[in-house]
Amino acid sequence: MSMEDFFAKVEGRAHAWPSGRRDLHWLIIPGEDFARRRLYEPYRPLTEQPGLHPVQPEWMHLTLLHMGPQNSASTSEVDQLVAAVAEVPPTRPRTT
């Protein structure tokens, strides 16, 4: 079995993230209990391989959108986006 190193791929590509650049991201951050039960514990055996370091449940997130450098959008544009998303009713993860 082989696992790829995400950061090695990102840092080695032609358009790597410059050090210190602040980017805009849209994230889903699961609750710590959900993350532990559904995302961490079931896959623990995979992370017990040499060279792998599991992400602890309190740091888990899913990146839905990488929007680019923070300075590529005005404060007004970011505020409009946040307001539009705030109108979307929250959903709960299915646990089936």
Side-chain angles (χ1 to χ4, degrees), residues 59-78:
W59 294 107
M60 289 186 173
H61 67 275
L62 297 103
T63 303
L64 299 179
L65 177 66
H66 174 218
M67 299 185 298
Q70 184 177 6
N71 62 4
S72 67
S74 69
T75 301
S76 174
E77 290 171 320
V78 172

Side-chain angles (χ1 to χ4, degrees), residues 27-79:
L27 308 174
I28 290 179
I29 302 174
E32 189 174 336
D33 183 59
F34 178 86
R36 183 174 306 286
R37 285 184 297 106
R38 307 292 283 191
L39 304 174
Y40 182 79
E41 291 297 339
Y43 303 100
R44 185 185 290 243
L46 291 174
T47 66
E48 293 173 354
Q49 298 181 39
L52 294 180
H53 304 282
V55 174
Q56 297 301 307
E58 61 269 22
W59 294 107
M60 289 186 173
H61 67 275
L62 297 103
T63 303
L64 299 179
L65 177 66
H66 174 218
M67 299 185 298
Q70 184 177 6
N71 62 4
S72 67
S74 69
T75 301
S76 174
E77 290 171 320
V78 172
D79 290 346

Side-chain angles (χ1 to χ4, degrees), residues 1 3 16 22 47-48 57 60 75 82 84 87 91 96:
M1 177 186 307
M3 296 200 136
R22 296 177 60 112
T47 66
E48 293 173 354
M60 289 186 173
T75 301
V82 170
E87 294 178 12
T91 60
T96 57

